[in-house]
Amino acid sequence: MRTGASALWRSRAREQRGLLGAIAGTVFVIAVLMAAIAGIASRAPIDAVQRTVAAGPISEVSRTVSFDIVEGSRPVSDEKVRSALEHLFAGVPVVVSARHGSNSQSWTVTPDASRILPEHLAQLRRDDAKLEGTVTALPSVDSTTVSVSGHGAATALAMERSLDAFASVLPVPAAVLVVSAVIALCLLAQLLVEARDNETRLLRARGASIRWIVGADAAEAALAAGLGALLGTLVAQLVVGLLIGAPPIGAIVVSLIGVFLGSAAIVVAFSAVAAARTSGEPRQASGRARFAVSAGLTFVVIAGAAVTMWRFITDAQVAGGPIDPLAVIAPAAGLCALAVLAVVAFGPASRGVETVTARSTGVGTLPLRSVSRHAAVFAAPVALLTIAIAVTTFAAGYEGTWSSFLTSSSRIVVGADARLDLDAPQFVGGVGDAAPLTRVAAVPGAQRVVAAATIPGLIGPLALDVVAAPSAALADLDPAEDSMFDASAVSSAVGAKRGGAGGIRLPAGAQTLELTVSAVGVVESTARLTGWLQNASGETVASSSGRFAVRDDGADEPSTATMTLPPGGPWTLSALDVSVDLPAGDGGLIATTLLTSVRLSVTGGTAGGESLPIASAGWRVSKAVYPLQGTTTVTRSGDGIGIDAHVPNDSSQTLQARLEPQVQQAPLPVAISAAAAAGTGLQVGRTTTIDLPQGSLEVRIAAIVPQIPATDDVTAVFADLPQLTAALLASSQELPAVDTVLIGVGDRPAARVADAAARAAGSGATAIVPDTTLATRFISPVITALNVGAYGCCVLSGVALAACLAALWRRRKGETVILRAIGFAPGTQARGRGVEAILAACYALVCGVVAGILISLLAGNTLARSSVPSALPSLPITGAFDVVWLAGCLVVLLVVVALIVLRYTRAVRADAVHAVPGRTTT
């Protein structure tokens, strides 16, 4: 008996070996996809953390504590310090190293790159916070000298946030793959049941029990599912291991068992239901019952998706809180709910088309009516195609948005392709302190070089950064996308000339400026001139002449004041400081009969061999820069450049005055960040005062932008550097020095050009480029998983469509014969069936693209922002799509659909050709 049962079982399996092979192949694909995602989920975080620590640099991943030994005490032993540090970091694999000075020690704690795991990061940060206290408690350590350096804690926090983003996105491909796999396997199981319907009824009629039939089907399902799951898991394990390293075996085993049990259970469940129904007459569920079940399921799915999306939006507004499981599955739930809506709407939509075409007698409308009559059969492939296209669109939106936001958020902090931070003084010094713009511009690859200055300031109690750069030149550097900082609009708003900076333009290439000076006083003395020189980039330097004689009234002989010009011109003489020494009498007191007045005039000048228009310059005395003491008066002398000063006897020993071009003074137009505007209540058009180290400055708010470039401070102000310099020349004795050089490199490697520029700039210059390495290292596996999910859904949708069309082909063979008998040509029938499938696919294409875009707008932007933990919170994010990848995926999917439909139409045509004997023509 057992031999007969075994032979019967083998015979049944051979009869349906094609379908069983399709089930095994589908399980193989599902196992590959699920094991790949499980491998990425378990191995990629470990790989990213260890690579980040190994890549360094050491100062970014470690913490160094330094201290001095109390004078006269016995130094603490290395064993005691090492023991204390190893005890502190007992739960984290670290490497402890030491450096010793004559009376000092430095200990560096670095995570062990070969053993550090993601679960160690939180403990590492907590232990880092206790590092200073642990060392301070050691004997003989001078607690006043203990200091901790290094960015290891900040890097650990950034890695933790990146892992949170990783965990937030990864459920999307996993969830949609599970849904797609279940639908595809249900279709194949149903197709197997239909193929065996007559066989099953015959077995039941001859006495076979339901238990025996289900057992035989279970053995088949276990064999097919087990073989497919095992081979698929092994392939995924091999691929993941070659790419990122072998994942933990536990995750792979769980994936294998889950795929095997799930696949086998679906096939057995369909078989059991089919065997149970053979006990009586075939029964069809009523339309009302089917509607009730469909409506109830739709309501549950949509309500669940709405709850998860609500939790997702709420969770996104509470940064840094615990991860909400409902929020994590929101994007996947939303995609599946929209696919269910598409399926629910497919029936009414197709019936509406049927109603419109009901009165038509043309053959071309037959496919439209057929789609409506077979809407239930098309429902599953429509659902899978919708999910596949939706998840592909969502993946393209997430990847495009993340990539764009990562690049822009990293770039705006730098301000350009690259930046040099100079070791510059706070205030403008002499010619030797000029920024190395000429040397940097000569570096190969440095296409644009722009001077900038970052100045700390205050608006009331609010501290902020004032970033100053030539607005037009900054726009050429394209510091960020327009939604973050519209450089062109800001340049128009703050770059308008306020009467011009004025001054005397010096010839390009000139190396010295020589001024002819007539200086006459009551008695002989000395004076000196300091020229404020400004170039086209807005950089200003001060160049002082040697001292020259102030002669008495009877000896009016001109003197020559020579000033050196730095490279980087052409320069403009924007202001001139006059400093006159007042002779002192005995005891350092001003003599009552000495200098009481002085007249100093610049009567001419040359630079680079060219004469300068001095006589008609018409410069005025800026009384706001050097306040006058007592009854001292300083007025303009003549129409050129000069002063008339009357000095009382109680003045200080130096008379100072600034001469500058006569320009109309107005508040300086600036752009302010949204955070600074919110913190101060300022709006466009309002005026306020910014307190700078150089003095107070009245400004007018010309624009409000989300973020100011070239700073990581969210409260900041941007000003046009030439205009800021002109405003400070009229009100301040000191000017800010250029401490930053922004570099545009075009298509050249930014890091290489920046390093070369730093070497050219000299000691103290630090090269900075937009850094996307850490975020890319953690999020790239997520994008890979999303792509795997999209590819997998596309493959499974193809399987579902093929199964659906196979079922239709089997069910409608009789219809093919009848239509052939009444005159429908085989080609006409084949084209009609093909159009049916194409119409369903086009419907799914439209619904899938709409669903993907909608979920991208609702959740994709938020996920993309959380995937860039280093981004400033003030930066807005705008959606973008990787159109090339999306178009490529859709084209491949449509080609596969077309091939499946073509195979289906050929089968239909072959049936129609042989349906009526003797009529084989088209």
Side-chain angles (χ1 to χ4, degrees):
M1 182 68 181
R2 290 183 179 179
T3 304
S6 176
L8 179 60
W9 177 80
R10 289 195 298 270
S11 176
R12 293 179 78 238
R14 283 196 301 269
E15 184 70 20
Q16 301 298 332
R17 59 182 177 273
L19 275 174
L20 290 173
I23 291 174
T26 302
V27 174
F28 170 81
V29 172
I30 295 170
V32 169
L33 299 171
M34 297 305 299
I37 291 180
I40 291 173
S42 57
R43 178 61 197 182
I46 300 173
D47 180 67
V49 169
Q50 293 182 349
R51 286 172 57 197
T52 299
V53 174
I58 191 68
S59 60
E60 294 295 323
V61 297
S62 66
R63 298 278 278 172
T64 298
V65 58
S66 303
F67 56 88
D68 292 345
I69 304 300
V70 175
E71 189 174 354
S73 65
R74 183 179 180 182
V76 60
S77 66
D78 287 0
E79 291 76 11
K80 184 168 292 187
V81 178
R82 185 180 300 275
S83 175
L85 294 179
E86 290 178 348
H87 182 268
L88 173 63
F89 291 92
V92 183
V94 296
V95 177
V96 179
S97 58
R99 293 197 316 271
H100 296 80
S102 59
N103 194 44
S104 64
Q105 296 184 20
S106 293
W107 290 80
T108 300
V109 180
T110 307
D112 188 343
S114 63
R115 296 187 295 136
I116 187 76
L117 298 175
E119 52 265 30
H120 294 143
L121 296 178
Q123 183 64 41
L124 178 64
R125 285 197 304 110
R126 289 193 293 268
D127 293 344
D128 277 338
K130 304 174 185 177
L131 182 58
E132 183 175 354
T134 300
V135 172
T136 302
L138 293 173
S140 305
V141 172
D142 187 350
S143 60
T144 62
T145 64
V146 176
S147 63
V148 179
S149 60
H151 301 94
T155 302
L157 179 60
M159 289 194 287
E160 283 187 88
R161 291 176 176 174
S162 297
L163 290 172
D164 289 343
F166 181 95
S168 298
V169 182
L170 198 64
V172 176
V176 295
L177 271 180
V178 169
V179 173
S180 300
V182 169
I183 296 175
L185 287 172
C186 286
L187 281 173
L188 289 172
Q190 180 63 31
L191 191 60
L192 180 63
V193 166
E194 291 181 4
R196 283 180 167 172
D197 184 61
N198 293 333
E199 177 186 329
T200 303
R201 290 180 181 279
L202 179 60
L203 289 173
R204 290 285 290 136
R206 292 185 175 182
S209 66
I210 295 177
R211 180 178 179 181
W212 184 90
I213 293 174
V214 172
D217 291 343
E220 292 176 353
L223 181 60
L227 186 62
L230 181 60
L231 292 178
T233 302
L234 290 176
V235 170
Q237 173 85 343
L238 178 63
V239 173
V240 173
L242 290 175
L243 294 178
I244 60 175
I249 192 65
I252 300 302
V253 171
V254 169
S255 172
L256 171 62
I257 294 174
V259 171
F260 168 69
L261 293 180
S263 303
I266 290 173
V267 176
V268 172
F270 272 81
S271 175
V273 172
R277 286 180 176 176
T278 58
S279 299
E281 293 296 324
R283 291 174 295 176
Q284 296 290 334
S286 68
R288 182 175 299 175
R290 289 198 303 268
F291 174 78
V293 173
S294 175
L297 178 62
T298 302
F299 175 79
V300 170
V301 171
I302 294 176
V307 170
T308 60
M309 193 61 67
W310 167 67
R311 291 301 307 155
F312 178 86
I313 295 173
T314 305
D315 190 58
Q317 296 172 349
V318 184
I323 296 178
D324 187 344
L326 288 178
V328 168
I329 65 172
L335 290 171
C336 294
L338 292 176
V340 170
L341 273 180
V343 173
V344 171
F346 180 64
S350 59
R351 285 193 294 273
V353 173
E354 181 186 20
T355 302
V356 173
T357 60
R359 296 184 179 181
S360 175
T361 58
V363 176
T365 60
L366 183 60
L368 300 177
R369 295 199 290 270
S370 296
V371 171
S372 172
R373 294 170 187 173
H374 299 93
V377 180
F378 280 112
V382 164
L384 264 184
L385 281 170
T386 301
I387 290 177
I389 296 169
V391 73
T392 302
T393 305
F394 174 80
Y398 171 79
E399 183 174 356
T401 303
W402 172 78
S403 178
S404 173
F405 185 65
L406 175 62
T407 301
S408 297
S409 62
S410 303
R411 183 181 178 85
I412 194 171
V413 173
V414 177
D417 296 327
R419 188 181 81 203
L420 290 184
D421 286 347
L422 307 176
D423 185 17
Q426 183 177 17
F427 303 116
V428 168
V431 173
D433 295 327
L437 298 180
T438 303
R439 299 196 300 274
V440 172
V443 172
Q447 298 181 2
R448 297 183 182 88
V449 176
V450 177
T454 303
I455 314 164
L458 293 170
I459 298 181
L462 180 67
L464 44 76
D465 280 349
V466 178
V467 178
S471 56
L474 185 66
D476 293 337
L477 288 175
D478 189 22
E481 61 182 37
D482 290 346
S483 62
M484 297 180 181
F485 182 82
D486 190 343
S488 298
V490 170
S491 177
S492 300
V494 308
K497 296 298 182 182
R498 302 177 303 123
I504 300 173
R505 187 175 179 84
L506 307 180
Q511 297 181 353
T512 59
L513 169 63
E514 296 181 351
L515 298 179
T516 302
V517 184
S518 173
V520 179
V522 173
V523 297
E524 290 187 356
S525 183
T526 58
R528 181 179 61 185
L529 298 180
T530 299
W532 293 94
L533 306 168
Q534 187 179 89
N535 60 15
S537 68
E539 181 187 13
T540 302
V541 297
S543 181
S544 297
S545 70
R547 296 192 177 277
F548 53 87
V550 177
R551 309 184 188 280
D552 58 23
D553 291 338
D556 185 7
E557 296 181 7
S559 302
T560 300
T562 302
M563 287 170 275
T564 302
L565 302 181
W571 297 93
T572 297
L573 181 63
S574 299
L576 197 64
D577 283 359
V578 177
S579 176
V580 180
D581 297 325
L582 304 179
D586 295 337
L589 300 176
I590 302 298
T592 58
T593 60
L594 293 182
L595 185 64
T596 57
S597 65
V598 63
R599 172 177 294 175
L600 188 149
S601 299
V602 179
T603 59
T606 60
E610 297 183 16
S611 298
L612 304 177
I614 300 295
S616 59
W619 285 18
R620 67 180 178 86
V621 177
S622 177
K623 298 182 180 179
V625 178
Y626 294 104
L628 301 178
Q629 298 181 2
T631 58
T632 300
T633 61
V634 179
T635 59
R636 169 185 169 187
S637 174
D639 295 329
I641 301 175
I643 61 169
D644 277 336
H646 299 277
V647 185
N649 295 338
D650 58 351
S651 294
S652 64
Q653 290 183 310
T654 303
L655 170 68
Q656 292 179 297
R658 176 165 296 170
L659 293 159
E660 63 175 2
Q662 297 192 52
V663 294
Q664 182 180 359
Q665 296 297 318
L668 177 70
V670 298
I672 190 172
S673 67
T680 56
L682 293 171
Q683 299 176 350
V684 174
R686 296 278 298 274
T687 59
T688 188
T689 299
I690 298 180
D691 295 322
L692 304 174
Q694 294 80 12
S696 298
L697 189 64
E698 186 180 13
V699 299
R700 174 179 59 83
I701 307 301
I704 297 178
V705 296
Q707 177 64 31
I708 301 299
T711 179
D712 57 1
D713 195 341
V714 297
T715 57
V717 166
F718 175 78
D720 182 60
L721 182 57
Q723 293 189 73
L724 174 67
T725 300
L728 289 175
L729 280 173
S731 61
S732 175
Q733 297 181 17
E734 302 287 353
L735 267 67
V738 168
D739 57 5
T740 302
V741 179
L742 305 177
I743 307 172
V745 301
D747 296 332
R748 303 291 291 271
R752 186 177 304 172
V753 175
D755 290 340
R759 291 192 296 270
S763 61
T766 303
I768 301 175
V769 295
D771 186 11
T772 61
T773 304
L774 189 143
T776 301
R777 188 175 288 140
F778 280 84
I779 303 303
S780 288
V782 172
I783 293 176
T784 301
L786 266 179
N787 293 343
V788 168
Y791 300 147
C793 287
C794 291
V795 172
L796 294 175
S797 66
V799 172
L801 181 61
C804 169
L805 295 181
L808 282 175
W809 172 70
R810 186 185 298 273
R811 294 177 187 178
R812 298 174 69 180
K813 280 190 174 184
E815 177 186 332
T816 302
V817 174
I818 294 173
L819 291 176
R820 183 72 181 103
I822 63 176
F824 277 86
T828 302
Q829 291 195 55
R831 285 192 296 272
R833 299 284 185 86
V835 170
E836 293 175 15
I838 291 173
L839 288 174
C842 290
Y843 174 83
L845 173 64
V846 174
C847 292
V849 170
V850 172
I853 292 175
L854 184 60
I855 298 300
S856 291
L857 295 176
L858 289 175
N861 290 356
T862 302
L863 287 175
R865 171 181 283 282
S866 67
S867 301
V868 188
S870 60
L872 299 176
S874 60
L875 297 176
I877 186 170
T878 55
F881 285 85
D882 188 346
V883 179
V884 175
W885 183 84
L886 175 60
C889 289
L890 293 183
V891 167
V892 172
L893 177 60
L894 293 177
V895 169
V896 172
V897 169
L899 292 175
I900 294 173
V901 172
L902 180 61
R903 178 68 183 87
Y904 172 59
T905 58
R906 286 181 176 178
V908 172
R909 187 180 184 282
D911 286 347
V913 167
H914 299 93
V916 179
R919 297 178 61 182
T920 59
T921 63
T922 60

